[in-house]
Amino acid sequence: MSVKQFNATWSQVEDRIVLNISTQENELYSFWLTRNIAKHLIYGSQEVLKKQLEKTHNARASAVIQEFQKDSLKSTINFQEKFDGAANTPLGKDPLLVTGLNMSSKGDTFDIGLILVNQKRVNVPLPSNMVNALVLLIEQLTQRAQWNLTDDFQAQESNADNSSVTKSSEQKLH
């Protein structure tokens, strides 16, 4: 798969994001992203990109570079560009629910493995700059949906720092 374009919209009725990906091969793939999948896509991809930068830079420089790239993209990206779509829909016309993600990077290529509700897997290879654009788009939609993912991420970091507190305060449901 060679990605040509992507677009995404938030469905208030479904409370999900529909992600459409068109390819150079004139194929269209549509996926439903839940709040949880969107959160993992945003924060997981940022971690993989950070580790990729840390191969050639120290941790502090990597964080600065990553923020610079994101800020630069925010000022240049055009979310109003027309989405062309495609004629061929190998997985069908209706979006498929994404139930899991795998992410990795090799060189400047970032691979997002989408695990679908029907147990199929779709690998989406993207250059790093396209990953940042996808993350920026998904972040904007999660803000519009009022999913408060920033609060979740900060809570996760806090829990990681206080793991002994988390373990002692586990709740059991009967």
Side-chain angles (χ1 to χ4, degrees):
M1 172 189 300
S2 179
V3 175
K4 176 181 168 185
Q5 258 185 321
F6 54 81
N7 83 343
T9 56
W10 172 64
S11 168
Q12 186 173 7
V13 172
E14 294 283 341
D15 194 27
R16 296 181 181 165
I17 293 171
V18 64
L19 173 64
N20 297 301
I21 300 172
S22 66
T23 68
Q24 298 292 346
E25 297 82 16
N26 198 31
E27 296 175 330
L28 178 67
Y29 296 87
S30 294
F31 307 102
W32 284 117
L33 306 180
T34 62
R35 181 183 186 281
N36 191 46
I37 293 296
K39 177 175 72 171
H40 289 292
L41 179 61
I42 292 167
Y43 298 113
S45 62
Q46 294 307 296
E47 280 299 310
V48 172
L49 289 171
K50 181 178 152 192
K51 287 181 180 173
Q52 185 180 20
L53 285 170
E54 287 176 351
K55 290 178 182 177
T56 54
H57 306 283
N58 65 41
R60 181 172 161 78
S62 296
V64 170
I65 292 168
Q66 197 171 13
E67 275 305 307
F68 175 77
Q69 289 174 339
K70 202 171 182 181
D71 290 342
S72 176
L73 185 62
K74 283 179 185 177
S75 66
T76 60
I77 197 162
N78 176 10
F79 286 126
Q80 303 308 315
E81 184 178 325
K82 182 181 179 282
F83 182 71
D84 295 329
N88 188 17
T89 54
L91 299 177
K93 291 186 180 192
D94 295 328
L96 291 175
L97 180 65
V98 176
T99 58
L101 293 169
N102 291 318
M103 298 178 211
S104 62
S105 68
K106 190 173 189 176
D108 191 41
T109 303
F110 189 90
D111 185 56
I112 302 172
L114 302 174
I115 302 165
L116 307 177
V117 70
N118 62 5
Q119 302 305 313
K120 290 186 180 181
R121 181 185 165 118
V122 176
N123 289 318
V124 182
L126 295 171
S128 296
N129 64 332
M130 281 186 86
V131 173
N132 284 326
L134 177 61
V135 166
L136 187 59
L137 176 60
I138 299 298
E139 281 179 338
Q140 286 185 356
L141 291 171
T142 63
Q143 289 168 3
R144 185 177 304 152
Q146 298 177 347
W147 286 353
N148 302 320
L149 296 185
T150 305
D151 297 341
D152 283 358
F153 185 65
Q154 289 169 348
Q156 280 181 333
E157 285 183 331
S158 176
N159 286 341
D161 294 341
N162 301 312
S163 58
S164 61
V165 173
T166 303
K167 288 178 185 172
S168 66
S169 64
E170 288 182 16
Q171 296 180 359
K172 294 183 181 178
L173 299 175
H174 298 280

